[in-house]
């Protein structure tokens, strides 16, 4: 295959002399290995017009034309056709002008009369090649300059003597110097004094290495100092190129990040809650704070190295729900919370409230789950105690209401039984039947007494007493109660203070706890009763919610079978018992609970199956001496009277019984079913009314209100209150105000007669 013929070199000849033009054409035509296409114009204007429409490979330009002469001819041609290679033609006398044209950019020149074909062809070809080289070089330099001036980093070109020979605008911005100022500087002069030697040594390494990097402090023209990141490379021409980037803000940001991370770590590792970071989907733990070891019982290394360490610690019954919340956070990208249990390596169970928040990357993808796991076991216990207290309050109100109504019935039963016994002859065949009725009613009265104790609606005879004395007085009784198989130990603190309580009720508390402990030690054991002064700690107060202050602690401990957690939560409920049918009423511990709470104290049980039980009572300590009990009045016989008694009782059966008995022993009785009716009878009665005998709680106005209204018109009247319970709205913490006389239902006619007489005869 033959190569395609080379394209002819197009030459534009600008020559006004026809003879010279023919000569040049003839010379080119006879040149070997050359193919030239020659176009001719005789003036500069048509030549320039021609060059506008289609390019040529070279221009032969005569400097002496009719429309332009000398160096101006070349200047115009170069200005209006800068991309064309121009060879000027001059006469012998214009060779100086031709040389000036070459200096200004002409590729070469020819002198008329000295031109031959080979010379002409060679000059044209060389002119074309040189022009192409110039264009390529100019394009390369323009490309280099464009890159240099648009690079964001500061760029410095340095010679081997350490001088700047070129810089870009970013270098000027970085240093604050102009380009001219930088080109007058040596490299070392633009660095902080103490950095100059290190920078020079680093750049000197370019003699053995192609590239070096460094971070140093640069000195700006305004005296400011910035931290720069530098890279320098060795160029083939012996020069070096150095790029600098201001990293001051980045380093400050890095420092801020490090400081922020330090503060975060200090905060995260000092909080009591577990702070965690996990990978969504896999559940892999990326970070946990030290609280994890305290709460979960595993080391942090275990959390990092064990797959699913977090999820495996969750209680099996709660695991799916807790993990579902985590998956929901990863799916929706929204905050999620869950409450679940964990099982520690030691087998202990704790309640956790976990909260997780997704973290997104710049593209919006969820890359982390960050959250807090809070140990709420104490809160759960407090909530359970609160629910238990609410339940006990509700049951107590019910028990108190039942006891109140039942006491009215028992008062009637006991009263009529007593009256029947008084009327029946000793040898009567019906006497034993009535005695059994009275005995059953008395047992029922004791049962309602326990209900009132639990519901904290009984009347307490408060005195200042020593808990140690109460325990000592009971020791003989307790030893008989617990039997020979149980050893009794007492550890009474000699400095134990005093409390304000009802001695009889406190004795009942100790006896009930002792009997309960004896039943838990069927095979024998040890019963320990101890006392001590107590100042409850903040942790104890937080866990059990008692009021702060000084207390006397009374603890009753046994070595029996212990109490299971499920029974522990119900142990103070009325009628709840773990004993077999017929062995217990379920009111012993509920009575203890009610008496302690009504006395302003607190009681808790500590027990585990197989490890016995300890009941701890805390009663408020008082700074007062022990009070001696008041001497009792003689009780022989049924006292009589002749005074007028105003009876206010809404229970009809009980009202008839009391009225009938009081009239039997000599009193005049004005009976009323309500406070309003009693006030009416008092207004209508012309003589004195010596005693108001009224139920505390009645429909409409209460007994207290009735007593107050009567005192306005009959200030001499005395009052004896009676009730099956004491309403919390009338009593102060379940205790009737001091100075007011009170008769607890149920009562017998004899007790009623003595109390009425006592009130009337009191000074």
């Amino acid at each position: 295959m033959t190569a395609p013929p080379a394209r002819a070199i197009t030459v534009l000849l600008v020559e006004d002399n026809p003879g010279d033009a023919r000569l040049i054409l003839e010379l080119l035509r006879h040149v070997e290995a050359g193919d030239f296409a020659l176009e001719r114009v005789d003036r500069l204007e048509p030549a320039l017009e021609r060059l506008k429409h289609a390019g040529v490979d070279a221009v032969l330009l005569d400097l002496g034309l009719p429309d332009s002469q000398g160096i101006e001819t070349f200047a115009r041609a170069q200005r209006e056709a800068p991309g064309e290679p121009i060879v000027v033609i001059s006469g012998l006398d214009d060779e100086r002008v031709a040389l000036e044209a070459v200096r200004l950019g002409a590729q070469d020149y020819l002198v008329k009369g000295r031109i031959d074909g080979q010379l002409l062809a060679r000059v044209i070809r060389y002119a074309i090649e040189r022009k192409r080289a110039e264009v390529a070089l100019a394009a390369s330099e323009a490309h280099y300059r464009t890159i240099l001036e648009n690079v964001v980093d500061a760029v410095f070109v340095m010679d081997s003597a350490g001088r700047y020979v070129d810089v870009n605008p970013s270098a000027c911005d970085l240093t604050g110097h102009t380009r001219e100022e930088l080109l007058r500087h040596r490299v070392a002069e633009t660095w902080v004094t103490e950095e100059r030697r290190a920078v020079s040594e680093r750049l000197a390494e370019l003699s053995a290495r192609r590239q070096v990097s460094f971070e140093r402090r640069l000195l700006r023209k305004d005296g400011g100092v910035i931290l720069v990141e530098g890279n320098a490379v060795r160029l083939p021409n012996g020069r070096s190129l150095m790029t600098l980037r201001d990293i001051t803000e980045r380093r400050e940001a890095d420092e801020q990040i490090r400081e922020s991370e330090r503060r975060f770590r200090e905060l995260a590792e000092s909080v009591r809650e577990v702070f965690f970071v996990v990978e969504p989907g896999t559940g892999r733990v990326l970070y946990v704070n030290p609280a994890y070891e305290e709460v979960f019982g595993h080391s942090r290394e275990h959390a990092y190295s064990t797959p699913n360490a977090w999820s495996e610690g969750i209680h099996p019954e709660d695991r799916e729900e807790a993990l579902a919340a985590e998956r929901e956070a990863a799916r929706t990208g929204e905050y999620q919370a869950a409450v679940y249990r964990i099982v520690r390596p030691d087998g202990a169970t704790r309640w956790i409230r976990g909260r997780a928040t997704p973290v997104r990357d710049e593209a919006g993808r969820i890359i982390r789950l960050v959250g807090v796991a809070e140990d709420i076991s104490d809160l759960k216990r407090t909530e359970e105690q609160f629910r238990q207290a609410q339940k006990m309050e509700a049951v107590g109100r019910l028990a108190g209401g039942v006891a109140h109504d039942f006491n009215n019935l028992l008062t009637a039963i006991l009263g009529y039984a007593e009256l029947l016994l008084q009327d029946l002859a000793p040898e009567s065949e019906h006497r034993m039947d009535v005695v059994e009725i009275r005995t059953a009613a008395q047992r029922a009265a004791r049962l309602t007494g326990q209900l009132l104790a639990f519901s904290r609606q009984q009347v307490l005879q408060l005195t200042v007493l020593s808990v140690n004395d109460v325990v000592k007085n009971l020791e003989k009784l307790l030893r008989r109660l617990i039997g020979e198989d149980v050893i009794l130990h007492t550890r009474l603190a000699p400095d134990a203070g005093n409390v304000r309580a009802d001695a009889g009720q406190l004795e009942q508390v100790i006896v009930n706890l002792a009997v309960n402990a004896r039943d838990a030690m069927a095979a024998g054991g040890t019963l320990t009763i101890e006392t001590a002064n107590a100042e409850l700690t903040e942790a104890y107060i937080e866990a059990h919610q008692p009021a702060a202050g000084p207390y006397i602690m009374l603890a009753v401990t046994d070595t029996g079978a212990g109490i299971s957690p499920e029974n522990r939560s119900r142990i103070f409920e009325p009628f709840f018992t773990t004993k077999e049918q017929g062995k217990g009423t379920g009111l012993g511990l509920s009575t203890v609970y009610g008496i302690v709470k009504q006395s302003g104290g607190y009681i808790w049980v500590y027990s585990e199956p197989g490890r016995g039980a300890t009941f701890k009572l805390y009663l408020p300590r008082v700074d007062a001496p022990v009070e001696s009990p008041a001497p009792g009045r003689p009780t022989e016989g049924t006292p009589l009277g002749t005074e007028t008694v105003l009876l206010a009782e809404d229970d009809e059966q009980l009202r008839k019984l009391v009225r009938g008995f009081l009239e039997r022993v000599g009193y005049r009785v004005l009976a009323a079913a309500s406070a309003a009716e009693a006030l009416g009878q008092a207004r209508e009665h012309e003589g004195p009314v010596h005693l108001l005998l009224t139920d505390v709680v009645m429909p409409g106005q209460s007994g207290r209100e009735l007593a107050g209204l009567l005192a306005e018109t009959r200030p001499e009247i005395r009052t004896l209150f009676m009730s099956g319970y004491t309403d919390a709205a009338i009593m102060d913490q379940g205790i009737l105000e001091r100075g007011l006389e009170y008769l607890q239902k149920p009562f017998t006619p004899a007790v009623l007669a003595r109390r009425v007489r006592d009130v009337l005869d009191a000074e």
Side-chain angles (χ1 to χ4, degrees), residues 244-273:
L244 299 179
R245 178 177 297 176
D246 185 355
I247 60 170
T248 306
E249 292 184 0
R250 190 177 79 190
R251 283 290 177 267
E252 290 176 352
D254 290 344
E255 183 59 33
Q256 290 175 354
I257 292 173
R258 283 193 294 270
E259 178 64 16
S260 178
E261 289 177 346
R262 184 186 64 80
R263 291 179 179 176
F264 161 77
R265 191 169 296 276
E266 287 180 354
L267 176 63
E269 299 198 353
S270 62
V271 296
R272 296 174 58 186
E273 291 79 10

Side-chain angles (χ1 to χ4, degrees), residues 34 92 141 179 220 232 251 258 399 406 412 424 491 522 524 540 547 709 742 759:
L92 291 173
E141 289 182 349
R179 184 172 188 276
R220 286 176 48 85
R251 283 290 177 267
R258 283 193 294 270
F406 198 42
L424 289 173
R491 299 173 183 169
Y540 199 93
L709 293 171
Y742 182 84
V759 173

Side-chain angles (χ1 to χ4, degrees), residues 492-686:
L492 309 179
D495 61 343
N498 300 327
V499 299
R500 179 173 281 112
D502 185 310
Q505 296 295 327
L506 184 55
E507 288 176 352
Q508 184 179 352
V509 166
I510 298 172
V511 168
N512 282 5
L513 291 176
V515 171
N516 195 69
R518 178 202 63 193
D519 294 342
M521 297 183 288
T526 301
L527 175 66
T528 304
I529 301 176
E530 54 187 318
T531 61
N533 292 319
E535 292 285 346
L536 300 185
T537 64
E538 290 295 329
Y540 199 93
I541 291 174
E542 183 179 349
H544 300 287
Q545 304 299 313
Y551 289 86
I552 300 299
M553 187 273 293
L554 171 65
V556 179
T557 302
D558 66 66
T559 58
I563 309 169
S564 66
E566 51 272 20
N567 288 339
R568 228 176 21 243
S569 64
R570 302 185 59 194
I571 199 163
F572 294 118
E573 292 182 12
F575 309 114
F576 174 77
T577 179
T578 58
K579 299 175 183 177
E580 60 185 80
Q581 187 90 16
K583 289 293 183 70
T585 63
L587 286 173
L589 290 179
S590 62
T591 300
V592 168
Y593 179 87
I595 293 172
V596 171
K597 296 298 287 185
Q598 191 175 0
S599 302
Y602 303 89
I603 181 170
W604 293 281
V605 59
Y606 304 85
S607 180
E608 293 182 20
R611 297 188 177 182
T614 296
F615 288 83
K616 283 190 175 182
L617 288 69
Y618 290 90
L619 298 174
R621 192 165 74 235
V622 296
D623 293 327
V626 173
E627 297 176 2
S628 300
R633 293 173 58 88
T635 59
E636 294 81 3
T638 300
L640 307 178
T642 59
E643 292 89 346
T644 300
V645 177
L646 176 58
L647 170 63
E649 169 60 62
D650 60 312
D651 187 284
E652 182 179 2
Q653 190 176 31
L654 186 57
R655 187 171 64 251
K656 289 173 63 177
L657 169 67
V658 173
R659 178 176 184 173
F661 176 74
L662 290 178
E663 288 178 342
R664 176 180 290 193
V665 294
Y667 295 99
R668 181 178 183 182
V669 180
L670 306 175
S674 65
E677 186 178 344
L679 290 172
Q681 293 221 29
R683 282 194 300 270
E684 294 173 1
H685 183 68
E686 296 181 354

Side-chain angles (χ1 to χ4, degrees), residues 92-326:
L92 291 173
D93 55 346
D94 289 334
E95 189 173 0
R96 182 184 58 80
V97 177
L99 288 171
E100 178 65 16
V102 170
R103 190 182 66 79
L104 294 177
Q107 298 302 318
D108 209 339
Y109 74 95
L110 296 170
V111 179
K112 293 180 180 180
R114 299 179 181 175
I115 304 175
D116 60 42
Q118 294 297 330
L119 174 63
L120 180 58
R122 187 173 62 254
V123 167
I124 291 174
R125 287 194 179 94
Y126 287 172
I128 293 172
E129 292 302 322
R130 280 196 298 271
K131 189 62 178 179
R132 288 175 179 170
E134 287 178 1
V135 170
L137 179 60
S140 177
E141 289 182 349
H143 182 64
Y144 159 76
R145 182 56 58 183
T146 299
I147 293 175
L148 187 65
E149 295 188 357
N150 288 278
V151 170
V152 176
D153 290 342
V155 179
F156 303 80
V157 179
M158 306 166 292
D159 62 15
S160 58
R163 290 186 295 266
Y164 293 127
V165 296
D166 199 1
V167 295
N168 69 344
S170 294
C172 299
D173 294 339
L174 184 72
T175 63
H177 290 285
T178 64
R179 184 172 188 276
E180 291 71 22
E181 289 171 339
L182 285 174
L183 296 183
R184 292 196 297 268
H185 278 76
R186 300 181 71 83
V187 176
E189 295 171 352
T190 54
W191 298 89
V192 176
T193 303
E194 53 269 27
E195 299 275 26
R196 292 177 180 178
R197 181 171 180 174
V199 172
S200 298
E201 291 175 350
R202 195 72 173 131
L203 293 176
E205 295 178 15
L206 288 173
S207 60
R209 302 172 57 185
R210 184 177 180 278
Q211 180 178 350
V212 295
S213 301
F214 53 88
E215 287 185 12
R216 296 295 173 187
R217 291 173 296 158
L218 186 75
L219 181 64
R220 286 176 48 85
K221 181 180 179 180
D222 59 8
V225 176
I226 57 175
L227 183 65
V228 296
E229 179 182 68
N231 286 282
V233 296
R234 176 166 41 84
L235 301 177
N237 59 4
R239 293 180 175 180
S240 302
L241 184 144
M242 178 176 66
T243 60
L244 299 179
R245 178 177 297 176
D246 185 355
I247 60 170
T248 306
E249 292 184 0
R250 190 177 79 190
R251 283 290 177 267
E252 290 176 352
D254 290 344
E255 183 59 33
Q256 290 175 354
I257 292 173
R258 283 193 294 270
E259 178 64 16
S260 178
E261 289 177 346
R262 184 186 64 80
R263 291 179 179 176
F264 161 77
R265 191 169 296 276
E266 287 180 354
L267 176 63
E269 299 198 353
S270 62
V271 296
R272 296 174 58 186
E273 291 79 10
V274 178
F275 181 83
F276 63 86
V277 181
V278 299
E279 190 175 62
T282 66
R284 184 168 65 92
V285 177
L286 304 177
Y287 172 79
V288 287
N289 65 344
Y292 173 83
E293 298 181 349
E294 168 63 25
V295 175
F296 282 76
H298 285 291
S299 67
R300 300 166 75 185
E301 289 70 23
H302 175 270
Y304 297 141
S305 60
T306 305
N308 302 316
W310 188 274
S311 59
E312 287 181 358
I314 301 174
H315 193 287
E317 295 177 4
D318 301 342
R319 186 173 298 151
E320 181 54 35
E321 182 178 353
L323 295 180
E326 179 184 317

